Structures are given as structure tokens and as C-alpha cells.
């Protein structure tokens, strides 16, 4: 993870030194986020209107410049992020766009927009409760009763993750075949609420986003703790789908596209969480180099 951040940082040094040019204007992007918590409608693609992407440090943090245009949020706020590493990652999204800007591929930009604008007007406690609520419908806690091959697959693949989470956080996480879902002890919720309270609101936006992609808080926690890779977490979240594909076959383009998109969103959300969680440390370290 941090090797990727260092590569982004090195690329960002070049972005910081790029020449700027062009007319002054405001730009308000809004890539799509497939989560009910996001209030932004997906914009259409548009022709790339800028040549250079650069980063500047302002009073409120790090800003993104498209030529001489200051990037702004959908609510017209100055697009400012708390760390240079996150700014570099966002700038890389914009710089990697070709002739057409594909907003739906710019997940880091959207997560920053959500954190800055807070379109649903939720505070930290509400974000924590929203994340913990995923336990009630957590993918790896819902089990089938048949066929036996799928029952065994779920047990072999999901049980070790639950056992890890129980040991890591000192909690009890049950699974169930009932349509009512598993019974999650109140103590488990209290412990996870306390754990999530250690994250800032930006990171919590990312945690909710990843949990919504994987439909699992347990898998999300495994990702954050580096117990799982993105590829592992995504495959575990799609275990039943992959089982059905193996049994009945694959719709060549549809399943492949869905899998790659899910990996991209999950990877971006996980990177966002780490960059936001370590924002102060990264910022000071980079500025003192």
C-alpha cells in the first residue's frame, strides 16, 4: 500500500513543478458513487479541457489546479485535502484522463467531494452508526443451507475471516442461515463503535464506502488492517456469485466488467482510508524532507 503511495508522491513532485496556463475558472466534478449515502448524480463524460495538473499548498491544505483553474466541489467549495499524498492521488486521477474525462472512474475525487460537501449532513457519530449497521446484513454472516458444496465453501472461506475479526477485536460475530440474519451481541457493537471512533470523518466516509461495495463491515476491517488484499476481499464478497459462475458459466463481458469495477472502487476506497487515517503524519514527513 505505502509503496503505491510513495510512487504517487514521486509522481506528485513532478506535478508540483509543472507549468500552469489557461483561463481562470471554477470546475465542479462529481463522479458517480453507487451508495445510497451519496447525494451526487453521475455526470456525463466530457471532453478534457485542461493540459496541466498541479498541486499547491494553501492555508486549508493541498489544492488541485487544472491549468490555472482551482478545482472546486459540486457545492462550489474550494477542493482542499489534508495531505500531500492524497492530493497527489487525486491529481493523478485527473492527469490520467485522456481526451475524454470519465468521471465515473475518479473514485478518490468523489470521496473527497463527499467529505468536503457532506451532502447528507451527517456528523461523526452518524457515520460510525452507518458503518456498524452493515453488521446486520454482513455478507459473510449470511449462510445458505444447501447445496452442501456451497455450504462447505462458505464455511471454509468465511469462517477464518470471522475468527480473525473476533480475535483481533475481542468480540463475538455470529453467522446464520435465517432470513432474519445473525444475532450480533450489543457488546460487539460497542467495541466496534469505539474502534471506529478512532478514525476521522474523512476516513469514516471511506469506510462506509468500502463496506457498501463489499456489503460487509468484517471484510472492510480486514482490508484496513491489511489482513486481506483487495482481490481477496472482493472475491470473498462475491463467493456465491463466483460459485454460480463456476457452475453455470460466465457472461463474458458483463461479469468481468463488474468484477473489475468492484475491485477498482474497493481499492480506491481502501487507499482513501489509509491516506486520510495517516494524513497528519504523512503531511509532516513530506514537508520536512
Amino acid at each position: 500500500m505505502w509503496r503505491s503511495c510513495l510512487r504517487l508522491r514521486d509522481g506528485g513532485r513532478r506535478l508540483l513543478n509543472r507549468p500552469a496556463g489557461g483561463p481562470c475558472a471554477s470546475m465542479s466534478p462529481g463522479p458517480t458513487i453507487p451508495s445510497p449515502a451519496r447525494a451526487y448524480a453521475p455526470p456525463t463524460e466530457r471532453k478534457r479541457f485542461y493540459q496541466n495538473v498541479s498541486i499547491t499548498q494553501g492555508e486549508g491544505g493541498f489544492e488541485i489546479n487544472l491549468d490555472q483553474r482551482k478545482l472546486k466541489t459540486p457545492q462550489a467549495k474550494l477542493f482542499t485535502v489534508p495531505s500531500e499524498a492524497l492530493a497527489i492521488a487525486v491529481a493523478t486521477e485527473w492527469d490520467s484522463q485522456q481526451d475524454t474525462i470519465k468521471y465515473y472512474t475518479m473514485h478518490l475525487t468523489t470521496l473527497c467531494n463527499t467529505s468536503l460537501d457532506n451532502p447528507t449532513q451527517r456528523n461523526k457519530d452518524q457515520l460510525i452508526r452507518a458503518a456498524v449497521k452493515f453488521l446486520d446484513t454482513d455478507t459473510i454472516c449470511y449462510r445458505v443451507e444447501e447445496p452442501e458444496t456451497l455450504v462447505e465453501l462458505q464455511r471454509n472461506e468465511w469462517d477464518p475471516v470471522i475468527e480473525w475479526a473476533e480475535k483481533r477485536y475481542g468480540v463475538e460475530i455470529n453467522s446464520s442461515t435465517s432470513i432474519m440474519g445473525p444475532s450480533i451481541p450489543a457488546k460487539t457493537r460497542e467495541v466496534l463503535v469505539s474502534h471506529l471512533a478512532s478514525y476521522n470523518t474523512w476516513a469514516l466516509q471511506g469506510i462506509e464506502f468500502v463496506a457498501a461495495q463489499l456489503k460487509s463491515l468484517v471484510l472492510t476491517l480486514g482490508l484496513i488492517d491489511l489482513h486481506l488484499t483487495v482481490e481477496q476481499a472482493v472475491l470473498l464478497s462475491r463467493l456465491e456469485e463466483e460459485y454460480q459462475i463456476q457452475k453455470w458459466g460466465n457472461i463474458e463481458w458483463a461479469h468481468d466488467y463488474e468484477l473489475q469495477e468492484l475491485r477498482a472502487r474497493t481499492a480506491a476506497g481502501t487507499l482513501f482510508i489509509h491516506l486520510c487515517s495517516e494524513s497528519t503524519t504523512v503531511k509532516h514527513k513530506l514537508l520536512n524532507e
Side-chain angles (χ1 to χ4, degrees):
M1 176 69 71
W2 287 109
R3 289 192 185 96
S4 299
C5 294
L6 288 174
R7 287 196 295 271
L8 284 171
R9 185 195 69 184
D10 292 339
R13 298 296 187 190
R14 293 190 292 273
L15 288 169
L16 282 165
N17 295 324
R18 285 188 175 186
C24 293
S26 297
M27 180 58 202
S28 300
T32 180
I33 288 288
S35 165
R38 311 291 174 236
Y40 301 138
T44 58
E45 297 180 1
R46 63 172 295 181
K47 182 178 176 62
R48 176 165 171 161
F49 59 89
Y50 55 92
Q51 292 184 343
N52 300 302
V53 183
S54 61
I55 301 166
T56 54
Q57 185 175 8
E59 293 183 0
F62 291 88
E63 304 164 3
I64 311 297
N65 308 304
L66 307 179
D67 294 332
Q68 290 182 348
R69 305 169 186 227
K70 292 287 187 184
L71 190 61
K72 292 193 175 182
T73 71
Q75 292 184 13
K77 296 178 181 177
L78 183 63
F79 190 101
T80 306
V81 299
S83 77
E84 183 181 7
L86 181 55
I88 291 168
V90 172
T92 301
E93 282 189 330
W94 285 91
D95 198 44
S96 65
Q97 301 301 305
Q98 303 301 313
D99 294 336
T100 301
I101 304 172
K102 298 180 178 180
Y103 293 110
Y104 52 84
T105 67
M106 303 167 73
H107 307 301
L108 292 173
T109 299
T110 299
L111 284 166
C112 290
N113 280 333
T114 303
S115 296
L116 288 164
D117 283 349
N118 190 15
T120 53
Q121 297 299 304
R122 291 180 298 170
N123 58 32
K124 184 173 181 177
D125 288 341
Q126 290 171 317
L127 288 171
I128 292 172
R129 287 199 297 271
V132 172
K133 190 171 177 59
F134 279 97
L135 279 176
D136 296 329
T137 56
D138 201 292
T139 295
I140 70 173
C141 294
Y142 274 81
R143 305 298 174 89
V144 299
E145 295 181 312
E146 57 180 355
E148 182 58 35
T149 50
L150 181 55
V151 171
E152 183 179 2
L153 182 64
Q154 290 180 338
R155 182 169 57 247
N156 292 341
E157 298 296 330
W158 285 348
D159 281 1
V161 181
I162 290 179
E163 290 168 6
W164 166 83
E166 289 179 329
K167 182 177 180 181
R168 165 68 176 84
Y169 299 104
V171 298
E172 178 185 351
I173 301 174
N174 301 314
S175 60
S176 173
T177 58
S178 169
I179 194 172
M180 301 302 293
S183 174
I184 305 297
K187 181 63 176 178
T188 296
R189 297 180 190 276
E190 293 172 8
V191 170
L192 293 181
V193 164
S194 178
H195 172 71
L196 292 175
S198 65
Y199 291 91
N200 60 46
T201 55
W202 283 58
L204 288 169
Q205 293 279 8
I207 289 170
E208 185 190 9
F209 174 74
V210 174
Q213 307 313 308
L214 301 176
K215 299 178 177 59
S216 170
L217 179 61
V218 177
L219 292 177
T220 300
L221 293 173
L223 264 179
I224 297 171
D225 269 13
L226 305 182
H227 176 71
L228 299 171
T229 66
V230 169
E231 290 78 9
Q232 289 171 332
V234 167
L235 286 176
L236 287 169
S237 75
R238 288 168 47 89
L239 197 63
E240 186 170 353
E241 295 166 84
E242 294 298 325
Y243 172 85
Q244 297 296 343
I245 288 172
Q246 290 294 322
K247 184 175 181 179
W248 302 108
N250 182 22
I251 300 176
E252 186 173 351
W253 66 270
H255 287 141
D256 290 344
Y257 177 80
E258 180 183 343
L259 178 60
Q260 294 304 321
E261 277 294 293
L262 181 55
R263 283 178 178 170
R265 291 193 298 269
T266 303
T270 305
L271 178 60
F272 181 82
I273 295 165
H274 281 279
L275 294 180
C276 292
S277 301
E278 304 292 336
S279 60
T280 303
T281 302
V282 172
K283 178 179 176 181
H284 289 167
K285 180 179 179 181
L286 292 173
L287 291 178
N288 289 330
E289 287 181 349

